[in-house]
Amino acid sequence: MVETESAGPNAMSNPDYIALDSLTSTRMVEFQGDELKDKFETARKNHMGYPYNLAFNAAMTSRFGGYLINNLGDPYVGSHYGTEVCDLEIEVIKWAMNIWGVQQQDDYWGSVVASGTEGNLWAVYLGREALVDPVVICSEDAHYSLPKAARILGIDCITCASNAKGEICLKDFRKIVRTHSHRGLVVTLTCGTTIRGAHDNIAGCLEILDDEAIPQSQRYVHVDGALNALVVPFLDGVNRDILPTFDMEIDSISASGHKMIGTPMPCGILVARRAHADRVASAISYIRSNDTTLMGSRNGHATLAIWERFTTLGVDGFRRDAAACLERAKCFAAQLRSHGFPVLHNQFSLTLVFPKPSDDVVKKYQLACDGDLAHAIVMPNVGNDLIDRFLQDYLAGCAETPTRPAVMELQA
Ligand SMILES: *Cc1c(COP(=O)(O)O)cnc(C)c1O
């Protein structure tokens, strides 16, 4: 038997031991004073490294901060617990269904989830349950939560190559489909990849599945649209091939709530064909609901926050924000290029990839980095003043002649 160390008197003789009450009192000063708030204000003012829309105020949502709001169980069924907002959750889901081209809402199911990651995990689970001998296919630019979901669910994950822009390589996709044509295929495609902001050619992949004679019963297609499933539907002139829409033979779509929508807590939305949710549902009398969600207790504050954003901003607000962000992203890229820096900026994307600046600049603007590269995402709160400040720091921090690591391909 392994002896576990107790947190009793033994722990106190440990030189690293910090008495909980002294820790609490220092933290409490920070918490009650302006220190933590100031830190958050500064961080928010300079942030451009993650795809978070920080331009929200959540005024209505914060009124309910003192309640435990728990959308326990299936959103369509509810539970015995009274402090819940399942009705608003259904409205949120319907809103997303409209944006994602659902014609018959009764044929679809959805829920507000804990994050884009939960959406992906649950989608892969729905796919696994729908198919015989399933295997997950995702591109090398797919979010790490997809291979992780496959690992957790005990399914093989085949990685498909991507091209210079970061899109799934259709040639390699066809090869993989052909090699695994006897198995159930859980195909995960991305609308706005994490690092390069690329859009997989959804229609192209579906055509290949048809071409290779993979029947509907042998495939499950999920679109991970964490960021751009709430960007590209609002832009004009977007190529239909990359649009996350249930007009096509897609089984589920997910997005994060704290990305383009803008909520004060991490959350997400998942919409799937109802048959998939029904397949995994089992009735649990204890909660008086159906067990169709990964989490039993689910964050009702997140539903309120998304609902507040959808209703206050409206489709017009999302359209305005998406168009303005795209415009600023284009100018930002042009400015970097005018100073001789290579930039990758995919069409209809808010993400810019460029050579990584000094550590100070990386830290101040909270940039996500990948080797020699960094990326910035032009969200609604990343205004021209922030971009100008960043450019000043970026140029000041760089040598006279910009170093050009293996980023010439960025011009692709
Ligand atoms: C951010 C992201 C995720 C994960 O979303 P979380 O809400 O952070 O869990 C999944 N896929 C893509 C493409 C992302 O960019």
Side-chain angles (χ1 to χ4, degrees):
M1 258 189 57
V2 182
E3 288 219 2
T4 46
E5 212 172 297
S6 79
N10 287 345
M12 310 243 300
S13 57
N14 178 341
D16 292 332
Y17 179 80
I18 302 169
L20 189 58
D21 48 358
S22 78
L23 182 71
T24 308
S25 63
T26 3
R27 295 301 305 212
M28 196 52 97
V29 172
E30 208 179 272
F31 185 72
Q32 289 175 330
D34 291 332
E35 211 177 313
L36 189 60
K37 198 152 190 269
D38 289 350
K39 183 181 126 177
F40 283 178
E41 285 293 335
T42 307
R44 178 169 62 181
K45 202 174 75 197
N46 293 327
H47 182 266
M48 57 160 71
Y50 294 86
Y52 305 153
N53 180 0
L54 305 182
F56 61 85
N57 71 20
M60 280 148 65
T61 305
S62 58
R63 283 184 58 217
F64 300 97
Y67 296 92
L68 170 64
I69 312 179
N70 186 351
N71 282 8
L72 184 59
D74 182 286
Y76 296 81
V77 183
S79 71
H80 289 298
Y81 184 67
T83 317
E84 50 88 28
V85 285
C86 285
D87 54 340
L88 297 184
E89 185 174 6
I90 301 296
E91 285 193 26
V92 161
I93 297 304
K94 285 185 170 174
W95 211 90
M97 284 178 178
N98 281 332
I99 299 304
W100 297 333
V102 164
Q103 303 294 334
Q104 290 291 332
Q105 293 194 335
D106 290 348
D107 294 343
Y108 291 78
W109 169 95
S111 76
V112 169
V113 290
S115 71
T117 296
E118 189 194 325
N120 283 343
L121 174 67
W122 202 246
V124 172
Y125 170 64
L126 293 178
R128 187 190 79 175
E129 297 303 290
L131 305 175
V132 178
D133 190 25
V135 58
V136 171
I137 302 175
C138 67
S139 93
E140 55 191 1
D141 278 55
H143 190 258
Y144 62 87
S145 58
L146 285 160
K148 178 164 71 180
R151 227 164 32 242
I152 292 170
L153 292 163
I155 325 175
D156 289 338
C157 183
I158 316 279
T159 309
C160 185
S162 40
N163 64 20
K165 292 180 183 171
E167 302 157 353
I168 195 164
C169 167
L170 293 182
K171 215 170 133 193
D172 199 42
F173 181 73
R174 184 186 291 276
K175 216 166 83 190
I176 289 170
V177 167
R178 202 167 278 173
T179 319
H180 298 86
S181 61
H182 55 289
R183 301 186 65 174
L185 305 181
V186 181
V187 176
T188 62
L189 302 173
T190 307
C191 178
T193 61
T194 309
I195 309 282
R196 296 192 269 183
H199 304 100
D200 289 342
N201 184 341
I202 301 168
C205 289
L206 293 172
E207 210 175 289
I208 289 171
L209 291 167
D210 289 342
D211 252 24
E212 297 297 324
I214 309 294
Q216 294 296 335
S217 60
Q218 210 192 310
R219 54 162 113 154
Y220 181 103
V221 179
H222 172 63
V223 174
D224 172 8
L227 171 62
N228 284 357
L230 284 149
V231 176
V232 290
F234 300 111
L235 291 172
D236 291 327
V238 174
N239 179 350
R240 211 185 152 278
D241 293 353
I242 64 163
L243 277 181
T245 165
F246 286 101
D247 276 357
M248 298 194 260
E249 290 294 337
I250 290 171
D251 293 278
S252 52
I253 300 175
S254 62
S256 300
H258 54 293
K259 291 188 175 172
M260 194 58 183
I261 299 169
T263 58
M265 73 289 285
C267 56
I269 299 176
L270 172 69
V271 172
R273 291 186 190 270
R274 180 161 276 286
H276 297 309
D278 288 346
R279 185 180 295 110
V280 304
S282 48
I284 308 291
S285 61
Y286 168 71
I287 58 170
R288 205 204 68 193
S289 195
N290 286 344
D291 197 17
T292 49
T293 54
L294 177 62
M295 301 300 164
S297 291
R298 299 182 309 104
N299 187 347
H301 296 274
T303 284
L304 273 184
I306 298 175
W307 187 85
E308 178 174 358
R309 288 294 291 168
F310 280 173
T311 46
T312 56
L313 211 55
V315 170
D316 286 344
F318 276 90
R319 270 196 223 288
R320 266 196 310 275
D321 276 357
C325 288
L326 184 60
E327 213 37 52
R328 286 199 304 280
K330 285 180 185 167
C331 293
F332 191 175
Q335 279 174 289
L336 279 167
R337 285 185 186 125
S338 75
H339 289 283
F341 295 98
V343 181
L344 174 74
H345 179 214
N346 276 305
Q347 205 185 9
F348 305 119
S349 178
L350 311 182
T351 307
L352 303 188
V353 186
F354 44 78
K356 180 176 151 180
S358 67
D359 289 349
D360 285 353
V361 177
V362 166
K363 197 164 165 223
K364 177 170 173 187
Y365 296 95
Q366 302 147 62
L367 305 183
C369 298
D370 185 24
D372 288 339
L373 300 173
H375 77 175
I377 297 129
V378 183
M379 300 300 288
N381 57 299
V382 180
N384 285 325
D385 49 334
L386 173 52
I387 294 174
D388 289 346
R389 271 192 288 128
F390 171 80
L391 281 168
Q392 262 176 26
D393 285 346
Y394 188 80
L395 297 175
C398 287
E400 301 275 285
T401 19
T403 46
R404 294 168 193 233
V407 286
M408 289 320 289
E409 74 198 54
L410 289 187
Q411 301 287 19

